[in-house]
Amino acid sequence: MTIDGLNKAVGVFLSARPGDDERIETGVPGLWIYAKSEPTTIDAAIYTPIVSLTLQGEKEVRWGTNARGFRPGERLIVSHDLPVQSCITQASMVAPFRAIALNLDLPLLRDLRDTWDGPLPDDDRGEVIACDVADEGFADALTRYFALHKDANSARLLGPILHRELHARLLIAPHARMLRRLLNQESQASQIARSIAQIRQDLSEPVIISDLARAAGMSVRSFHAHFKTITETSPLQYQKELRLIEARRLIQAEGKAVGTAAFEVGYESSTQFSREFARRFGIPPSKASAQCVCRTSVGD
């Protein structure tokens, strides 16, 4: 099935679900849909390892010094937890923006890599986001996987097979250098990924660069350089970005008081938190609850 056919199938699925929810679970493991009926302003988010295929409309994603627009048929692949900014640039009630995304299963990718007899070329580039046009094989497998939402019995039998096929197609695709590098436990990408997981485990804890470097088996200077190559920011700035995004979520989605949210993400000074929050989002945290909810973990 073509991208257009998959978009129509997703449209039928969404028509039975009224409302304008941004993220819609399909009921198929790891597979979800992002839909929006109007353009949005640029917003902060944290992308976790995913592959996302744009079906209709357009969006823009910014990370570090990079910016990329995505049109129907174009695919976004993210290998690390990464703070980004994104916005929907083309959407309407008649033709809403739609993307379908699959959370990446890194243990499954490692298993496939270990059993693959063919060449898995690698390189030393530090990209963490790949962008390309989805090939027909991947689009077809994704369509078949999505169709499993119609039949729970078929999903139990065919779901694991199609889930494995999708990951295999990603692993052997030309753009997948970053995934193959991430799967190498001794690679710098893999070591930085573990450091990122350590930072995210408890945002209230201070980042000790020497401890992270030691755990990664690097010197402080080398660790800092590799971390910046992959995330395009320093470990301290990376944590600050995550703290501010999570604090905004706590204020907006959970109704936490500003001081409580600041404390929960590790700020000892409410004044400093308010200053950095306003600098990052353009409004003081006291007014954030009136804004739309910030997404903390997405791949739209």
Side-chain angles (χ1 to χ4, degrees), residues 70-230:
F70 290 88
R71 297 180 177 182
E74 295 184 325
R75 179 170 56 182
L76 166 74
I77 305 168
V78 183
S79 67
H80 289 65
D81 294 356
L82 190 69
V84 303
Q85 293 180 303
S86 66
C87 63
I88 306 303
T89 56
Q90 187 177 106
S92 67
M93 291 295 294
V94 175
F97 174 85
R98 294 180 191 142
I100 188 165
L102 177 68
N103 299 324
L104 294 184
D105 186 332
L106 297 183
L108 174 57
L109 283 170
R110 289 194 177 95
D111 178 62
L112 291 167
R113 183 182 186 276
D114 291 341
T115 58
W116 172 249
D117 292 330
L120 291 177
D122 207 345
D123 65 15
D124 294 326
R125 290 188 292 177
E127 75 270 19
V128 292
I129 288 183
C131 316
D132 68 359
V133 176
D135 60 272
E136 291 185 8
F138 179 84
D140 177 65
L142 189 59
T143 300
R144 288 182 280 120
Y145 192 55
F146 170 65
L148 294 179
H149 77 271
K150 302 175 183 178
D151 187 341
N153 288 326
S154 295
R156 281 191 290 270
L157 179 63
L158 297 176
I161 298 172
L162 294 175
H163 188 250
R164 189 176 182 87
E165 178 185 348
L166 284 165
H167 283 74
R169 288 186 178 279
L170 287 175
L171 188 61
I172 62 177
H175 60 261
R177 290 181 299 269
M178 65 180 190
L179 290 179
R180 296 190 290 261
R181 185 173 58 251
L182 177 64
L183 300 179
N184 178 357
Q185 297 282 10
E186 303 305 318
S187 70
Q188 294 158 355
S190 183
Q191 292 166 335
I192 296 303
R194 290 194 291 270
S195 299
I196 286 173
Q198 187 174 340
I199 292 172
R200 292 202 67 180
Q201 186 174 5
D202 188 351
L203 291 178
S204 66
E205 290 295 319
V207 168
I208 309 299
I209 304 298
S210 57
D211 290 348
L212 291 174
R214 188 180 306 109
M218 302 179 187
S219 68
V220 170
R221 182 177 181 180
S222 178
F223 173 79
H224 196 279
H226 290 306
F227 193 99
K228 192 166 186 177
T229 295
I230 289 174

